[in-house]
Amino acid sequence: MDPDPESWGEGRGKSTGTLLDTLRVAVVMLDTSGRVLLWSPLAQEVLGWAGEHIVGRRVGGLFGPPESPPGQSPRRGPDEIPRMPDPSPAEQILADLLRGGRWDGILSLRHRDGHTVQVETRASLLVDGDGRPFVLASMVETSRLRTLEHDLAALDSLFDSSPLGVAIFDRDLRYVRLNEALAAMNGRPVADHIGHTVQEVLDERSAADLTALQRDVLATGRPVIDLVTYAPHGRGHRSLSYHRLVDRAGRVLGISATVIDVTERVQAAAKVERARRRLALLNDVGTRIANVLDVRRCAEALAAAVVPTFSDYSGVILHAEVADGGELPTAPYGDNTPMRQLGTGAVRWGPEVERMILTGQPIRFTRKSIFGTVLITGQPRMVSSEEELLATTFPGDPKVRAAIALGVHSLLVLPLRARGVVLGLLVVSRAREREPFDHDDLALAMELANRAGAALDNARLYVREREGALMLQRSLLPQSVVEPPGVGVAFRYVPGSSGAEVGGDWFDVIPLAGGRVAFVVGDVMGHGLGAAATMGRLRTAVRTLAGLDMPPDELLRRVNELGDDLAQGQAEGWMATAVYAVYDPSTRRIAIAQAGHLPPVLVEPVTRAPGGEETGAHPDECQARLVELPSGVPLGVGGVRFETTELAVADGAVLVLYTDGLVETRGQDIGEGLERLRQTLCRPLPSLEDSCDDVLAIMQPGREPDDVALLMARLGGLPAGSTASWTFPAEPSAVRLARRRVRDTLVEWGLAQLTDVTMLLVSELVTNSLRYAHGPIGVRMVRGGSLLVEVSDPLPDPPRERIATLEDEGGRGLQLVARASRRWGTRHGPFGKTVWFELALP
């Protein structure tokens, strides 16, 4: 009896979709003479005869061929049963039934419409309650029965011959049927499964997961297809598929299961995934270290890249000379070889980890240790026991004890090689529950180490080349600058942070005669040692020409003419931008010319009227402005004249000269950088040094700039009473008057000790002007770091020093000036020339 109450309700009504409906079993009752006593409705459906037409008649007419000749329909009424000649098959069957009480076989019966129906029949001789015998027969169409038999045969074949594991479970999730393949997978015979659940057959862990899965499929009807799980007891992997079984009437019968052993498939997929991860690790490590051109940063990137993907802890140990960018190690590794740990990586940090791997700590080892063996032989080692771990460096090493305390159980010691030389070691380790390294891991690690060795060597070479280039460039730049009276100077040079080649940015501060000072900033196009060398030659040329006291535009013109010689060896040509400015503290005027350079910035103090109101600018306006100058063309181009612009500057104004690396940003208009610089310089300037730092910090936050040269000069005047000047007519009395004014001024300045030599030299220069010039003679004295005296006249030709003989009465004036003064010279002016000399203060 079906224990499910729902099945009882189904029996009260008309059941559809069951197996009996598919087979259509017809039931017929006959007496012993072959007369029909009972004719079921299914018999009517199978043979077409209604019960009222056949009950009470003999069934012999349903057997055999029709009475009419072949090819003609029998002549009978619509409800007339055909008659067969005696003896009929029915009589023979009845005779067999009476003798044996049972008969079964296949009969060919005549359908009412004339065609033949084959039915498989089973008949039994029975006795009713009154002792009268009767025949009960059941009939099934052979076509439907054969279809069912084929289906059952296919099902049997599936169970018996399929290599897949197949099982049927009832509604209590007990095995109803399974094949040998599944029994073999479970390791138990088929008989041990029938009537049992998976909880009674499999291990507890596997059974719990499968039971929950089966219950869900039984309850919801949602199938499970190709679910990969661990096999019982963890031996391999299986693919599970579950479906709910429902009959044609919609009743749930149980579930079916298909089980496939996919251990090889999973292992193959795992190998593919492992290979993919290995390639991804190689690619990741290569990407991280490929463009790192610093040995320490490269070591840090390498150590970080292998954790936690490949190992739990990592360390990069390098020869001390390699770490500092020196030569490759040539001496054999020994107990005293200096080694340093540069890069470290860990899944978690703590005191024990820092004791084991600490960045920067020296590493000691013995020649016979594993570290020493790998360094000497260049062959990797895999450590897989505590005894081997203790032998990695030297007995009692606290770093090894810390590793054991952390649960390190597997270690790879790998040589970092470049050009056949071992630079150091890559040490990776696994701890706790993580699976130990195998030979595949060793091969992967060696590939990583080989790539890392080449990258570290490139970084080492880069460090050497960059340090050499920077050393050259810094040697060509001024290490200190002069600060004449009334002028304060601050400067910065920042080398570019990307690429091994330095740039050609430069600056200089050049003292000139008369207390004046020249400021120059330039930028040679290109990078590398060639640009640095050209920069040095340009600086030398500018400094040399500046001593001739020529105007800024004339100086740039002459430098441009010397360009091909200055840039010798640059077959592709050369270009440089520059700005040159000359400031005179005594007049507070500045003359500037530029060659394709960015405009200077002039930061002027805000002046206030007596009432406290600002003049010359609105209170909210910034006092930093870009100086508008004719831009000119870069040096090395030619074809355009340079122009000098003169400006009067306020006392305390700051002139800012710079190169394009300060204001240029990739993807941004240079105008935005110039405006940002101007706004930055609007801030209060406590000191020039602080201002330089502030400008660099704000203009280049977090980016890798090109070379930057920055020069800031505070322009002030000389202290009151530091200058004196006179103009004398071109008459003989000019010498006497000039001597008197010079003497009085020196006494007033407290420089009476210089009176004799100064008066002598002024007499000589004024006498020369009277002899050759026809116009006013000017004399100016400036007291600063030295005593400067200038004598000017309208004659444009400079005086020439000549060697006078014993017989010559003159020609010794300039010789006297040259020998008595610290230095002397001449310069051209807009209305003539000036001869000057300097005397050291007592």
Side-chain angles (χ1 to χ4, degrees):
M1 179 178 295
D2 193 334
D4 188 357
E6 293 181 1
S7 63
W8 303 345
E10 293 173 358
R12 298 190 185 100
K14 183 178 180 180
S15 177
T16 60
T18 66
L19 185 60
L20 291 176
D21 292 324
T22 302
L23 291 178
R24 296 203 301 180
V25 180
V27 178
V28 178
M29 184 183 296
L30 308 172
D31 61 12
T32 53
S33 63
R35 192 179 304 277
V36 177
L37 301 177
L38 176 65
W39 188 261
S40 68
L42 281 177
Q44 178 180 343
E45 291 184 17
V46 173
L47 297 176
W49 299 97
E52 60 269 21
H53 298 147
I54 201 167
V55 172
R57 301 185 181 184
R58 297 181 183 276
V59 296
L62 297 176
F63 294 85
E67 296 177 340
S68 57
Q72 298 182 12
S73 299
R75 296 181 179 179
R76 61 180 184 275
D79 298 326
E80 182 180 357
I81 300 176
R83 295 181 178 180
M84 298 295 296
D86 294 329
S88 68
E91 293 176 350
Q92 296 177 3
I93 293 173
L94 285 174
D96 293 339
L97 275 169
L98 292 177
R99 285 194 303 270
R102 180 185 179 90
W103 185 91
D104 59 81
I106 298 177
L107 300 177
S108 296
L109 301 181
R110 179 65 61 184
H111 194 275
R112 181 180 178 184
D113 61 9
H115 71 274
T116 301
V117 179
Q118 284 195 335
V119 296
E120 186 164 336
T121 306
R122 291 191 177 184
S124 302
L125 182 64
L126 305 175
V127 179
D128 62 11
D130 296 330
R132 293 191 295 261
F134 67 94
V135 176
L136 183 63
S138 59
M139 299 180 297
V140 178
E141 292 181 80
T142 57
S143 60
R144 293 178 177 269
L145 191 60
R146 296 294 175 266
T147 300
L148 181 59
E149 289 176 346
H150 291 162
D151 292 343
L152 292 176
L155 181 61
D156 291 340
S157 176
L158 175 63
F159 271 84
D160 296 337
S161 61
S162 173
L164 310 180
V166 183
I168 301 295
F169 297 85
D170 61 15
R171 295 173 60 171
D172 293 327
L173 301 180
R174 299 182 181 276
Y175 284 98
V176 175
R177 185 175 181 181
L178 76 159
N179 61 354
E180 291 289 347
L182 182 57
M185 291 182 192
N186 293 339
R188 303 183 65 173
V190 173
D192 290 352
H193 291 74
I194 302 301
H196 299 282
T197 64
V198 292
Q199 291 177 323
E200 299 169 338
V201 175
L202 305 180
D203 63 277
E204 182 178 354
R205 182 175 180 179
S206 301
D209 296 337
L210 291 180
T211 300
L213 189 65
Q214 290 176 343
R215 286 174 178 169
D216 182 72
V217 174
L218 185 67
T220 64
R222 290 192 298 267
V224 173
I225 300 175
D226 197 20
L227 174 65
V228 178
T229 64
Y230 284 103
H233 306 289
R235 294 190 293 265
H237 293 80
R238 293 182 178 180
S239 170
L240 304 179
S241 297
Y242 285 102
H243 294 79
R244 188 166 70 177
L245 295 177
V246 180
D247 65 10
R248 299 195 178 190
R251 293 178 299 181
V252 177
L253 303 178
I255 60 174
S256 65
T258 303
V259 183
I260 305 174
D261 187 345
V262 294
T263 302
E264 293 183 359
R265 187 182 82 183
V266 172
Q267 290 176 346
K271 289 182 179 179
V272 171
E273 177 62 18
R274 192 174 185 182
R276 186 195 65 80
R277 291 181 180 179
R278 289 170 182 266
L279 290 175
L281 177 61
L282 286 173
N283 181 66
D284 180 52
V285 172
T287 301
R288 292 197 189 190
I289 66 178
N291 297 322
V292 179
L293 297 177
D294 180 86
V295 176
R296 287 174 173 81
R297 288 172 53 202
C298 185
E300 292 169 359
L302 172 61
V306 297
V307 175
T309 306
F310 185 69
S311 64
D312 294 324
Y313 304 102
S314 64
V316 176
I317 303 169
L318 293 179
H319 194 286
E321 290 190 10
V322 176
D324 296 331
E327 296 290 343
L328 291 175
T330 56
Y333 283 93
D335 296 352
N336 298 321
T337 301
M339 304 293 292
R340 196 178 306 162
Q341 187 157 259
L342 295 188
T344 57
V347 291
R348 65 185 66 85
W349 290 96
E352 291 291 339
V353 177
E354 294 180 356
R355 190 175 298 112
M356 179 180 66
I357 48 172
L358 181 63
T359 301
Q361 68 177 340
I363 302 297
R364 294 177 49 219
F365 62 93
T366 62
R367 285 178 55 88
K368 295 183 179 180
S369 66
I370 292 178
F371 276 20
T373 302
V374 175
L375 287 169
I376 294 171
T377 65
Q379 299 300 316
R381 284 286 300 273
M382 183 164 57
V383 176
S384 55
S385 66
E386 184 173 331
E387 291 76 13
E388 290 180 313
L389 192 61
L390 291 171
T392 51
T393 55
F394 61 88
D397 188 352
K399 294 186 291 296
V400 175
R401 292 198 299 269
I404 295 175
L406 289 170
V408 173
H409 58 77
S410 187
L411 189 77
L412 293 180
V413 183
L414 310 155
L416 295 169
R417 298 174 297 197
R419 292 181 285 172
V421 178
V422 177
L423 310 178
L425 301 174
L426 170 62
V427 182
V428 293
S429 58
R430 291 179 179 176
R432 306 296 179 188
E433 296 80 13
R434 191 161 184 173
E435 62 180 7
F437 292 113
D438 56 22
H439 290 288
D440 290 340
D441 294 324
L442 179 61
L444 172 64
M446 272 308 301
E447 179 66 24
L448 288 174
N450 290 336
R451 296 189 181 189
L456 287 167
D457 188 47
N458 289 338
R460 179 190 66 85
L461 293 174
Y462 164 79
V463 170
R464 291 187 60 198
E465 181 176 350
R466 180 173 173 79
E467 289 298 327
L470 287 176
M471 185 179 300
L472 170 63
Q473 188 176 37
R474 288 195 175 103
S475 68
L476 297 175
L477 292 174
Q479 305 304 309
S480 62
V481 297
V482 298
E483 291 191 9
V487 177
V489 179
F491 59 89
R492 294 289 185 274
Y493 171 72
V494 181
S497 58
S498 62
E501 298 179 334
V502 297
D505 294 18
W506 58 286
F507 67 93
D508 206 350
V509 179
I510 307 169
L512 302 177
R516 295 170 305 126
V517 60
F519 308 105
V520 58
V521 167
D523 182 7
V524 177
M525 302 299 180
H527 294 83
L529 295 177
T534 300
M535 175 270 291
R537 290 191 287 266
L538 280 176
R539 176 174 176 261
T540 301
V542 170
R543 177 169 279 268
T544 301
L545 293 173
L548 301 178
D549 252 340
M550 57 185 62
D553 59 330
E554 178 67 14
L555 181 141
L556 293 179
R557 182 185 69 80
R558 295 203 180 185
V559 171
N560 187 59
E561 290 175 352
L562 294 173
D564 292 338
D565 294 329
L566 295 176
Q568 185 178 6
Q570 296 193 15
E572 68 279 4
W574 73 283
M575 281 198 306
T577 64
V579 58
Y580 182 80
V582 176
Y583 176 66
D584 188 346
S586 63
T587 61
R588 293 193 181 94
R589 295 188 67 82
I590 188 170
I592 310 176
Q594 62 182 10
H597 204 78
L598 294 172
V601 179
L602 190 62
V603 184
E604 298 175 309
V606 177
T607 59
R608 295 183 179 275
E613 295 182 357
E614 296 177 353
T615 61
H618 189 274
D620 295 331
E621 289 182 353
C622 177
Q623 295 304 300
R625 62 185 177 91
L626 299 175
V627 181
E628 296 183 0
L629 302 172
S631 61
V633 297
L635 300 174
V637 175
V640 178
R641 293 177 57 86
F642 302 104
E643 299 182 37
T644 296
T645 301
E646 287 198 17
L647 302 171
V649 296
D651 189 19
V654 176
L655 179 69
V656 182
L657 306 179
Y658 53 92
T659 55
D660 55 6
L662 183 68
V663 295
E664 276 189 340
T665 301
R666 183 175 299 177
Q668 186 181 82
D669 186 82
I670 195 171
E672 298 180 22
L674 292 173
E675 177 61 22
R676 189 166 66 252
L677 174 62
R678 192 188 68 81
Q679 293 290 343
T680 302
L681 292 171
C682 282
R683 303 182 180 189
L685 304 177
S687 71
L688 292 182
E689 296 292 336
D690 292 340
S691 298
C692 285
D693 294 336
D694 191 39
V695 167
L696 290 176
I698 294 176
M699 296 299 295
Q700 299 172 333
R703 69 185 181 95
E704 296 186 351
D706 194 3
D707 290 31
V708 173
L710 174 63
L711 178 64
M712 301 180 73
R714 192 183 299 276
L715 308 178
L718 295 175
S722 297
T723 63
S725 60
W726 309 273
T727 301
F728 305 102
E731 298 175 355
S733 62
V735 176
R736 176 176 50 83
L737 294 175
R739 289 169 59 88
R740 182 185 305 172
R741 296 287 191 275
V742 168
R743 181 190 59 202
D744 294 343
T745 302
L746 290 176
V747 171
E748 182 182 351
W749 286 351
L751 300 176
Q753 296 172 333
L754 301 178
T755 301
D756 293 340
V757 63
T758 305
M759 291 175 60
L760 174 61
L761 299 183
V762 168
S763 298
E764 291 293 336
L765 294 179
V766 172
T767 300
N768 282 342
S769 295
L770 285 173
R771 181 177 300 175
Y772 301 109
H774 303 282
I777 300 171
V779 177
R780 188 170 78 110
M781 298 176 63
V782 179
R783 181 186 59 182
S786 62
L787 176 64
L788 171 71
V789 179
E790 295 178 343
V791 176
S792 58
D793 58 56
L795 188 66
D797 297 330
R800 290 181 295 177
E801 182 181 1
R802 64 186 179 88
I803 300 176
T805 64
L806 295 176
E807 291 78 13
D808 293 335
E809 296 182 359
R812 295 178 177 84
L814 290 182
Q815 291 185 22
L816 185 62
V817 171
R819 294 191 179 187
S821 64
R822 187 171 69 176
R823 62 173 183 159
W824 75 283
T826 62
R827 70 173 182 272
H828 291 282
F831 305 109
K833 71 174 184 300
T834 299
V835 181
W836 57 269
F837 65 86
E838 284 185 0
L839 297 175
L841 298 179

